[in-house]
Structure formats: structure tokens, C-alpha cells
């Protein structure tokens, strides 16, 4: 999946069908294979029951396989609910739940062991961006969560923290450059197969076309603008226009 809706902590049972209907009115259902949705855990089953074209994902998993870990959900459990992928290391989880690189690495392994595609989020805070130290920062995030892993298939979402939910989208040419650096680091340093590298941070139907046009951008992770089916559909259409047109 290349264009992913991250619903974060939004959505109730009835919302999904309504969202899907609006999405289908706006975008061509035949192209939905490239789309993904990561609803809250409580809606995974609902999404699975009502359609199978859009890939289904969770927003997190436990770093442990099972056991006495109250409140956690395992890779096997989301697989059992029909998940195809999982978003890992989102900056909101790193900040609010002090998620470490070590824990993220274990989660990547857990996901991979259960045949769930990991979408690893990395991205720098504003002060690092201003100090022009983005490359070093991303390198150390990648080292922390990919070092020592073997033969892992994954996607990476580059999400500058200062762009998430702020309306302050990164410049498309800068995104392109960072993506090519990330690709280069991954192929040089780690035993991973990077399936897609996608951008996240205030993507909407107005700015997505120019972002999708960049050579090293394979898609997008979308928060706020994905909650409305029509809006997500317009972003998907911008993607389809460039990649299927
Ligand atoms: C996100 O949280 O992954 C995200 C990209 O959010 P938004 O699109 O709202 O900036």
C-alpha cells in the first residue's frame, strides 16, 4: 500500500461504511489496491467485513509476542483481525509513550514474523531541521531500529515532526532529496528490502500532486485529511493520475 489513511484515535463503527462510500464515489475502486487504512484497533474487524480491496493496518503492536501485558495487542492478534500492515514508530508514539528504537526494532521483527508489513515512521523535530542536522538524525533513527535485522521487507514513512498536523508541509524537492538519502542508507547499511518510501506531514488534496510527482516519493501517510472519504479520495486520485495515468 502506498497511500495510507492513519485515523489515529478517531472513528466509531458507523463511520467506516460512510467513509468508504464517500471514497468510492470520489475515486476509482479498481485502483484501491494501492490504498491502505489504519483505523483504531476497535475498527479492524469492521473494516475487514465491509471490503477487502484497501489494505488494512494497525497503528501499533506490542513488542512482545504474548503474555501478561495488560492493554497491549500483539502482531498475531492484528493478523487474526485481518491486518496486512502496521505503522510502527510514529512520532506521536515515540513522544507520548516514550517508545525506544530497541522496542521499535522488536516490533518490526514481531510484525515480520507474522507476515505483517511494517511501515516504519522516522522524522526529525523542528530544532534538528533548523540546525540542518536532519540527515544525521534520520541515520541514527534507522541505525537504532534496523541494525542487526536480517532479510526484512518493509516500507518507510518519512514524517518530519514539525509537519505533522501543522499545515506546514515540507518542500517537495526537500522530501525527494531526503527520500533518496534514506534509500541510499538502507541499501548501504542494512539487510532490508525497502518496498516503498512514503511521505507524511500535512498532506492534503491541494499539495499532494506535487509531492507524488517527486521521483523518490512512492506514496503518502495521511492523518487529518484522511478522515473524510471524499478528501482521501481526491488525494488518491492525484496519486492514480501520476502512477496509473
Ligand atoms: C500522521 O500523523 O501520520 C500525519 C501525517 O498526520 P497529518 O497528515 O495530519 O499531518
Amino acid at each position: 500500500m502506498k497511500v495510507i489513511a492513519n485515523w489515529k484515535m478517531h472513528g466509531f463503527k458507523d463511520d467506516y461504511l460512510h467513509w468508504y462510500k464517500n471514497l468510492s464515489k470520489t475515486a476509482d475502486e479498481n485502483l484501491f489496491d494501492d490504498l491502505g487504512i489504519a483505523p483504531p484497533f476497535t475498527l479492524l474487524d469492521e473494516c475487514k467485513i465491509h471490503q477487502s480491496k484497501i489494505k488494512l493496518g494497525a497503528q501499533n503492536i506490542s513488542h512482545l509476542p504474548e503474555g501478561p501485558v495488560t492493554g497491549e495487542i500483539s502482531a498475531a492478534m492484528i493478523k487474526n483481525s485481518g491486518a496486512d500492515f502496521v505503522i510502527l514508530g510514529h512520532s506521536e508514539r515515540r513522544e507520548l509513550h516514550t517508545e525506544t528504537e530497541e522496542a521499535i526494532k522488536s516490533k518490526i521483527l514481531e510484525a515480520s514474523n507474522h507476515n505483517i508489513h511494517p511501515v516504519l515512521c522516522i522524522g526529525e523535530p523542528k530544532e534538528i531541521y533548523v540546525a540542518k542536522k536532519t540527515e544525521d538524525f534520520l541515520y541514527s533513527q534507522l541505525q537504532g531500529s534496523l541494525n542487526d535485522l536480517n532479510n526484512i521487507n518493509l516500507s518507510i514513512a518519512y514524517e518530519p515532526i514539525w509537519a505533522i498536523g501543522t499545515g506546514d508541509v515540507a518542500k517537495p524537492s526537500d522530501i525527494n532529496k531526503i527520500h533518496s538519502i534514506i534509500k541510499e542508507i538502507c541499501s548501504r547499511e542494512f539487510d532490508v528490502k525497502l518496498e516503498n518510501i512514503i511521505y507524511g506531514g500535512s498532506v492534503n488534496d491541494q499539495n499532494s500532486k506535487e509531492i507524488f510527482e517527486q521521483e523518490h516519493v512512492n506514496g503518502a501517510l495521511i492523518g487529518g485529511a484522511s478522515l473524510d472519504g471524499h478528501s482521501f479520495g481526491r488525494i488518491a486520485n492525484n496519486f492514480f493520475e501520476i502512477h496509473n495515468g
Side-chain angles (χ1 to χ4, degrees):
M1 54 284 127
K2 296 176 176 171
V3 181
I4 302 175
N6 175 13
W7 274 19
K8 310 194 185 192
M9 198 169 68
H10 297 286
F12 294 92
K13 289 227 156 136
D14 294 342
D15 294 334
Y16 179 69
L17 254 191
H18 182 65
W19 180 86
Y20 188 82
K21 274 184 195 153
N22 287 342
L23 169 63
S24 316
K25 277 184 209 157
T26 305
D28 180 355
E29 230 170 323
N30 293 318
L31 302 171
F32 282 7
D33 278 352
D34 277 334
L35 305 185
I37 179 168
F41 290 123
T42 47
L43 298 184
L44 284 174
D45 287 341
E46 188 72 11
C47 295
K48 196 69 195 173
I49 288 165
H50 288 297
Q51 63 85 34
S52 60
K53 274 199 168 153
I54 300 183
K55 301 284 185 305
L56 184 59
Q59 301 169 17
N60 181 39
I61 48 168
S62 170
H63 65 289
L64 297 168
E66 64 176 348
V69 223
T70 303
E72 289 292 298
I73 291 181
S74 70
M77 288 168 180
I78 65 161
K79 185 76 190 173
N80 194 236
S81 288
D84 308 291
F85 71 95
V86 62
I87 297 171
L88 295 175
H90 192 283
S91 61
E92 286 155 11
R93 293 208 56 85
R94 291 177 192 257
E95 275 174 33
L96 299 170
H97 302 273
T98 49
E99 242 177 44
T100 63
E101 304 293 359
E102 259 323 293
I104 294 165
K105 189 197 290 190
S106 304
K107 290 177 187 208
I108 293 173
L109 253 184
E110 273 303 305
S112 202
N113 288 341
H114 289 87
N115 214 7
I116 291 166
H117 188 75
V119 179
L120 169 66
C121 299
I122 57 172
E124 79 286 1
K126 185 86 181 183
E127 62 275 16
I128 295 286
Y129 171 71
V130 170
K132 300 194 185 322
K133 291 191 172 147
T134 298
E135 206 177 315
D136 291 347
F137 187 88
L138 298 179
Y139 180 81
S140 84
Q141 283 193 319
L142 290 169
Q143 269 288 339
S145 46
L146 298 181
N147 200 19
D148 302 331
L149 292 180
N150 294 115
N151 199 17
I152 298 282
N153 236 12
L154 88 167
S155 293
I156 289 180
Y158 167 55
E159 299 207 300
I161 297 172
W162 49 270
I164 296 180
T166 59
D168 200 5
V169 68
K171 262 207 332 230
S173 56
D174 288 348
I175 299 170
N176 198 42
K177 188 166 159 232
I178 297 285
H179 281 207
S180 79
I181 292 168
I182 294 170
K183 274 186 188 172
E184 200 267 315
I185 295 172
C186 284
S187 75
R188 191 184 65 220
E189 305 264 336
F190 308 113
D191 185 12
V192 296
K193 183 177 174 288
L194 185 54
E195 210 160 274
N196 292 304
I197 174 152
I198 63 179
Y199 168 78
S202 295
V203 174
N204 59 34
D205 52 1
Q206 305 292 308
N207 60 28
S208 48
K209 192 154 185 266
E210 205 185 337
I211 295 170
F212 292 142
E213 277 167 352
Q214 304 302 311
E215 182 188 352
H216 299 291
V217 174
N218 302 126
L221 180 55
I222 301 142
S226 75
L227 292 173
D228 176 85
H230 288 300
S231 152
F232 186 64
R234 286 191 293 272
I235 297 169
N237 281 338
N238 286 339
F239 177 82
F240 299 149
E241 206 178 301
I242 291 157
H243 293 276
N244 298 290

